[in-house]
Structures are given as structure tokens and as C-alpha cells.
Amino acid sequence: MLDFPLKLLRSSPADPIFPGMNELGIPTSELLHTRDGAQVALHEEGARVTRSRFGRKVFVRAVVEISNYCRENCAYCGMRRSNRDLNRFRAQHDKLAELLIHHRPASVTDVNIQAGEDPIAVREVALPLIRALRRETPLGISVCLGTLSPAIYAELKDAGATLYILKFEMANPASYAGMEAPGTFEERIQSIRHLAAAGWFLSSGFIAGLPGQTDQDLLANFALARELPLHGCSVSPFIPGDETPLSSAPLADIDLTLNCMAALRLMRPDWVIPSVSALNLAEPDSGYRRGLRTGANLVTINITPSEFRGDYLLYKRDRFIMTEERILTAIAAEGLIPSSQSLAEFYRTRKVNGNAHHVGQSSSLVGSAVQSSASP
Ligand code: SAM
């Protein structure tokens, strides 16, 4: 179990980053529950800090969902192995390669390859797809494939992926075990640290509004995110999946989720923070755009072939699909513009603690640089 320094959870009047946050950027629970004028001020500050760091540019990534087989059994996820009602699929790598090489939306600079935890799909679909994309396109390549072995991580990196997305899901180890989240909490954290030390750029994340989640749990998510060697982090609203044991639990509060996003932005102005599509399930039509208003600077266009989309079941069968048109409309409506620089290129060239980081540079140095910048 992680032992957080108590000072991380204490609010201090000395030099606060924002009223309601301590000097390390950890918010109070009052700030996470704030509403009305104070909430608007929080979100506006999140957006302001983002604009001063990233300008009006938002990264545009495509996601392809390559397999819904999963060896894990997360209580919150519709793809859990116990869900026997799901038609399981693995996509064909050559069809996805054709789609991404010749027919991807023009605004897309990066692709994220996502799946249930399915080592077979990693070998048979992800690896050949990554090699083809590396050969034929300038796309930055992210993967979100779950907790795998160090040898598979290394193969994915050798093939050409540079960003790994591994959410820690929740910082409370007892809840993690109770929700049957992937492997053990310790293994998940160890994988995150291993990936960073092995030279990956790393994004993680947590779920806001999980059943039973306390304010202390929420604050622990911030303290943990801050301690990890991350380059980005997401906050996803809990969506009660139809075909999960949590189907009758309440949907996450959109305001709590957005407040967490804004607070995360203020805690780490340099992180890439996505506006996740589930925000539009938590608040139809406006949740996603409100995410951009809190300081998110990454959006995702779903280009999974329609024949598979219905079975990539995180939440509900009628998914809200983020098409290019929806994404570009939302970006423009918020006065933002799609970035022509890929996320991968941004990470490769941006400064970490004052030093430009280049892939191939000693990865443990980078991991420790990020860690030390995050240390109290
Ligand atoms: N299997 C991979 C893994 O474990 O990282 C990647 C795919 S998994 C479906 C991607 C993410 O979906 C998880 O990390 C989890 O945070 C999120 N997720 C699944 N069910 C969810 C739900 N009901 N509400 C919110 N987020 C959910």
C-alpha cells in the first residue's frame, strides 16, 4: 500500500497555487465540490493556465479499438471476462492499417491503439499495425493495452509506439481490489514506473464518481498522480455499464468530474489532459465541450470500424461516438484550433525540467527528472 506524505493532503495557506489548493497543488475536497461562481473561476483558471502553456492548440488523436477480449474482470467495465453476453472480436491489422494510412481524418496527428487486456491481440494485431504505421505514416503512436509483461512493452516500443496509457484507475488499494481492477494495485503502479523507466512517455488517469468513492479517495488520486512519472493524466466520469455488476449505481456527477479536471490542470500545467468522450455520457451534448473549458488539451476521434464499435463495450450499447465532425465543431466552438504538431512530436521535443527530452536519451534520467520535479 502506498504511504502518502501527510503534507500532500493538507491544505496550506502559504503560497497556494489557487485558493483551495495547497502549495503542492493538491486540492481540498471543498474545491472539488465547488459550484456556481467559484466553480466558474476554477474552470476559467484551468483554461487560462492551459492557454498560457499550450496556446489555443488542442491535440487531435484517433482511437482504434482492436480487441474486446479481456482477461481482467473490472467490476466497472463492460468488457470484463465474466460478461458472457458480449460478442468478442479481434480486428484485422491490415484493414486497420489501410484505414489509417489512406483514409484517416485529415486533422489526426496521432493514433491510440486500445483493447481489453488481450496479449493475443497485442501480438497479432497491435504489433503488425504499429510496424505498418511507423513505416507508412508520420503518425504518433500511443497504446492503451493494459498491464503486460516487460518483454511485450519492449516489443511495442521497438515497433514504434512511444506513449503508453495506463490508468491507475483509483488510488485506494482496498477499493482497487474490491473493484477487481486489473491485477493488483501494486502491479499496476509498478508497471507505470517500469514503463517510464524504460523510456515510454506515459499517461495515466483515474475514475471520478466510482460507487463508494470518498472525498479522501479522490484527494488520494491527486496525491498519487503527482508522485508518478507522468506526462499526462485523465479524469473519466464513472459510467454505470449496462452489463456490469455496477449497472444500477449512479452515474458520476459531471461537475465533480470537471472540477477534478480543472484542479489537475492547476496542479500540473505541463500535462496533456484529454477531454474524454465519456463526459458526453455524463452530460449529453455539453459535457465534452465543458471538458475543453476546464483546460483539457487533447481530443479523440473514434475511427473503430462500425462493425466492431457496438461490441467494444465499456459502458452502454448505444455509445456516443466522437466523429471528426463532432470534434472539430466542439474545438471551433470553444475558440480552439487543432494542433498540427503531433502529440508524439510534442513529447519528443518539449522541455522536461529545462532540458529538451529526446527519445533514446537515458530513460531513467527522464523518469527521475519528472519524479524529482514532482517531489515535495
Ligand atoms: N485494458 C486496458 C487497460 O486496462 O488499461 C485498456 C482498455 S480499458 C477498457 C480503458 C479504460 O476504460 C480503463 O482504464 C478504465 O479507466 C476505463 N473504464 C472502463 N469502464 C469504465 C466505466 N464504467 N466508467 C469509466 N471508465 C471506465
Side-chain angles (χ1 to χ4, degrees):
M1 169 162 169
L2 281 182
D3 199 11
F4 298 121
L6 263 183
K7 89 184 242 205
L8 283 180
L9 297 179
R10 216 174 43 214
S11 141
S12 155
D15 200 18
I17 289 177
F18 186 75
M21 298 183 105
N22 71 9
E23 73 278 18
L24 302 172
I26 306 292
T28 57
S29 53
E30 290 75 32
L31 187 67
L32 298 183
H33 290 287
T34 190
R35 295 287 183 279
D36 304 321
Q39 182 183 32
V40 173
L42 170 65
H43 293 193
E44 283 180 355
E45 183 63 2
R48 189 194 65 74
V49 165
T50 313
R51 301 294 89 85
S52 67
R53 193 57 91 117
F54 294 91
R56 290 192 299 130
K57 291 184 182 147
V58 175
F59 296 105
V60 181
R61 175 164 72 189
V63 62
V64 274
E65 294 149 340
I66 63 166
S67 163
N68 67 354
Y69 284 88
C70 191
R71 64 185 175 185
E72 299 292 352
N73 212 30
C74 310
Y76 44 86
C77 184
M79 294 196 299
R80 65 203 306 270
R81 66 170 185 270
S82 297
N83 185 357
R84 307 259 173 244
D85 293 331
L86 197 57
N87 291 322
R88 304 282 172 169
F89 72 86
R90 284 190 190 103
Q92 285 173 269
H93 66 85
D94 47 350
K95 290 205 173 138
L96 293 180
E98 159 78 15
L99 180 71
L100 279 159
I101 294 167
H102 299 295
H103 307 289
R104 65 180 179 273
S107 54
V108 162
T109 56
D110 296 76
V111 61
N112 177 30
I113 299 170
Q114 199 184 83
E117 201 171 289
D118 177 13
I120 295 176
V122 174
R123 191 150 304 289
E124 294 181 358
V125 189
L127 282 168
L129 177 59
I130 294 167
R131 289 188 190 112
L133 295 178
R134 190 61 309 118
R135 213 171 42 236
E136 308 284 342
T137 78
L139 287 169
I141 303 173
S142 315
V143 289
C144 179
L145 299 167
T147 319
L148 304 167
S149 68
I152 300 188
Y153 294 143
E155 276 192 75
L156 289 162
K157 188 157 176 292
D158 288 346
T162 58
L163 172 71
Y164 209 102
I165 302 166
L166 195 65
K167 304 189 195 188
F168 60 80
E169 314 288 21
M170 64 209 86
N172 178 332
S175 310
Y176 191 99
M179 292 275 172
E180 297 183 72
T184 65
F185 177 74
E186 287 73 16
E187 281 164 6
R188 194 81 166 175
I189 300 300
Q190 217 173 22
S191 270
I192 290 172
R193 292 196 185 282
H194 167 83
L195 285 160
W200 286 87
F201 297 110
L202 209 72
S203 186
S204 192
F206 63 88
I207 304 175
L210 276 169
Q213 188 175 58
T214 64
D215 284 350
Q216 200 66 10
D217 291 339
L218 266 178
L219 298 182
N221 288 329
F222 284 83
L224 176 57
R226 193 178 183 287
E227 289 293 289
L228 291 173
L230 305 181
H231 301 82
C233 192
S234 65
V235 184
S236 303
F238 166 68
I239 310 289
D242 286 340
E243 293 167 38
T244 69
L246 302 176
S247 60
S248 54
L251 179 76
D253 176 353
I254 181 77
D255 288 295
L256 177 71
T257 310
L258 294 168
N259 290 354
C260 285
M261 289 173 65
L264 199 64
R265 166 57 71 209
L266 297 186
M267 184 176 85
R268 288 304 298 257
D270 58 327
W271 274 352
V272 173
I273 298 180
S275 190
V276 300
S277 61
L279 290 170
N280 257 357
L281 293 173
E283 186 175 79
D285 299 328
S286 54
Y288 194 75
R289 278 183 55 184
R290 288 183 72 196
L292 289 173
R293 261 174 251 160
T294 65
N297 62 336
L298 167 63
V299 295
T300 305
I301 296 176
N302 192 309
I303 60 165
T304 304
S306 51
E307 59 191 296
F308 298 138
R309 272 182 203 157
D311 291 319
Y312 196 84
L313 185 71
L314 269 63
Y315 323 115
K316 296 177 190 303
R317 292 245 171 222
D318 56 342
R319 294 180 63 186
F320 184 86
I321 296 297
M322 297 311 295
T323 58
E324 184 184 36
E325 192 192 346
R326 278 179 173 154
I327 290 284
L328 294 184
T329 304
I331 292 178
E334 295 303 323
L336 304 172
I337 45 176
S339 169
S340 53
Q341 183 189 37
S342 73
L343 190 55
E345 183 61 14
F346 165 75
Y347 279 138
R348 243 195 312 274
T349 55
R350 79 161 187 177
K351 297 196 171 185
V352 176
N353 266 9
N355 300 311
H357 169 71
H358 298 286
V359 169
Q361 157 181 354
S362 164
S363 49
S364 55
L365 269 181
V366 173
S368 61
V370 175
Q371 268 173 327
S372 65
S373 77
S375 302

